[in-house]
Structures are given as C-alpha cells and as structure tokens.
Amino acid sequence: MQSLEENLKECEQLHGHMCAGQLLGARMAMLGCKLVGVEDPRGKDRKKLLVWVEIDRCMADAVGAVTGVRLGKRTLKYVDYGKVAATFLNTESNKAVRVVALESSRALADEKFPSIANKRERQFRAYSEATDEELFAIESVAIELGEMDAPGSPRSRVICESCGEGVNDGREVIRADGSVACRGCASETYYKKLARLTIKN
Ligand SMILES: [Zn+2]
Ligand SMILES: [Zn+2]
C-alpha cells in the first residue's frame, strides 16, 4: 500500500479537488484494506477486493482512487444508504469488515483546533491527526456474494418483453403470468418517459 500522501495525490486527481472527504475516504480505504488483509489493492491483490460504498459523495471517489475498485469492473458496489461507510471484502479469504465514520469524528475539528479560523482547514487538520479509533467504528460482517453479482463476463442476458431492452445478470423480473420484464417495466422507473427522439448527425 502506498503512503497516505501518495494516495491523496491520486484522490485529488480523480475527484478534481482536495477536501476533507478525500482524506476521510482515503484513510477509510487504507484501514479497510488492512483489516481484510489486502496489502496491494491496485497491484498484486487487485483481484481480491470488492468494496460496497454507502454514499455517493466525496468519500466514495477516494475509496475508488485508493483501492482501484470500479463500478465498471463490478468491484465497486453502491448501496444508497446515505452513510459515510464502506464494507471491504477479501474474496480470497471471504473476510469482510464494515468501516463507518463516527458521528463524534465530525466534532473533532472544533474540539481540537478551535484556533484555526478556516473551517475547511480545521477539519482537514483534525482528520489528518486523529487516530483511526477517533474516526471510525469497525465491525466484522458476512457477505454472501451471489454469482450474478461477481466480477467477470455477464452471466445471463434476456430481453424485456414489454420494452424490448436487454437485461444482464439476472436483474429481470418474472411476472405472475410468466412473462419476462425489466425492473423498470415491472415496477417503476426513476425517469418519466416524455417522447421518443430521433438521433440526427
Ligand atoms: Zn470533495
Ligand atoms: Zn422493460
């Protein structure tokens, strides 16, 4: 594993700016990897690590930068809990640890460095100097990784009988009448269809 400084440089590059969230995320990722016995997540251990992030904010980019996990490789899983937390799974040993930022870590900056006027600076300094125990709680967890969720080539592909679009990896729904539907057609979509458009070159 690279040093925190080296990791932060790459976080900044990927994320576009340096922020307290990058620092917290980088430290979370380094701790998580260490706890599940992944020493070199972007090198020799790159096939061993899967990470679930529970928020789509700054910290998620830092976890991706430090560990090399990617949504497109199915090594990064996003679960929309709105929590500053992530679970690290070593797929070789099956050891998994969930790391969550403590609510009390948010107050550290004001407690420890009241003399630093700039809030951003205060928070950065606090996250730099805090111990892992001051920042995080950790728990051992079990993860059943289904075949359909594992990295590698798609396991299955079917066509939704309602919209005609392809669905990979078992995400289809079989309706009561036996027909195959995508999740959008079977329940509801996150978008509302307005009109079909024509692509013009
Ligand atoms: Zn940020
Ligand atoms: Zn459909």
Side-chain angles (χ1 to χ4, degrees):
M1 178 67 81
Q2 310 188 109
S3 69
L4 179 62
E5 284 70 38
E6 287 170 311
N7 276 325
L8 283 176
K9 271 189 210 134
E10 287 165 32
C11 289
E12 185 172 12
Q13 216 165 23
L14 181 89
H15 186 59
H17 66 242
M18 183 40 64
C19 59
Q22 295 308 292
L23 178 53
L24 193 67
R27 290 196 57 178
M28 179 181 274
M30 291 173 76
L31 177 65
C33 285
K34 189 174 94 182
L35 290 169
V36 298
V38 169
E39 286 163 27
D40 188 8
R42 285 187 279 149
K44 69 175 173 64
D45 294 333
R46 70 186 176 281
K47 299 240 157 121
K48 276 195 210 170
L49 183 70
L50 258 61
V51 180
W52 283 254
V53 293
E54 300 184 13
I55 199 164
D56 53 351
R57 289 202 171 270
C58 297
M59 153 281 203
D61 279 351
V63 170
V66 170
T67 62
V69 297
R70 296 286 180 266
L71 201 56
K73 289 190 201 154
R74 307 192 102 201
T75 47
L76 173 64
K77 313 286 189 188
Y78 168 54
V79 283
D80 193 6
Y81 290 180
K83 289 179 163 185
V84 183
T87 294
F88 299 81
L89 169 70
N90 180 332
T91 54
E92 206 171 79
S93 64
N94 233 17
K95 187 171 182 187
V97 172
R98 183 171 175 270
V99 183
V100 55
L102 290 167
E103 278 307 299
S104 54
S105 72
R106 302 171 71 92
L108 285 176
D110 296 336
E111 282 165 24
K112 291 194 171 185
F113 303 102
S115 60
I116 304 176
N118 183 296
K119 186 181 178 220
R120 213 175 146 268
E121 227 173 277
R122 198 160 64 229
Q123 193 152 41
F124 207 83
R125 179 84 180 272
Y127 286 167
S128 303
E129 297 185 9
T131 62
D132 285 336
E133 292 74 21
E134 285 176 308
L135 293 179
F136 306 114
I138 57 174
E139 58 190 340
S140 165
V141 296
I143 295 225
E144 288 276 337
L145 185 72
E147 178 57 23
M148 291 290 193
D149 294 318
S153 45
R155 305 307 194 277
S156 70
R157 183 170 175 85
V158 299
I159 303 296
C160 170
E161 290 175 36
S162 297
C163 67
E165 295 175 358
V167 180
N168 287 326
D169 297 307
R171 267 53 176 182
E172 68 272 21
V173 175
I174 310 296
R175 288 195 171 111
D177 65 1
S179 63
V180 175
C182 69
R183 287 180 175 174
C185 291
S187 50
E188 54 181 327
T189 48
Y190 65 91
Y191 55 89
K192 189 171 146 209
K193 279 189 207 235
L194 297 178
R196 183 170 276 275
L197 304 174
T198 311
I199 298 168
K200 295 186 191 94
N201 292 310

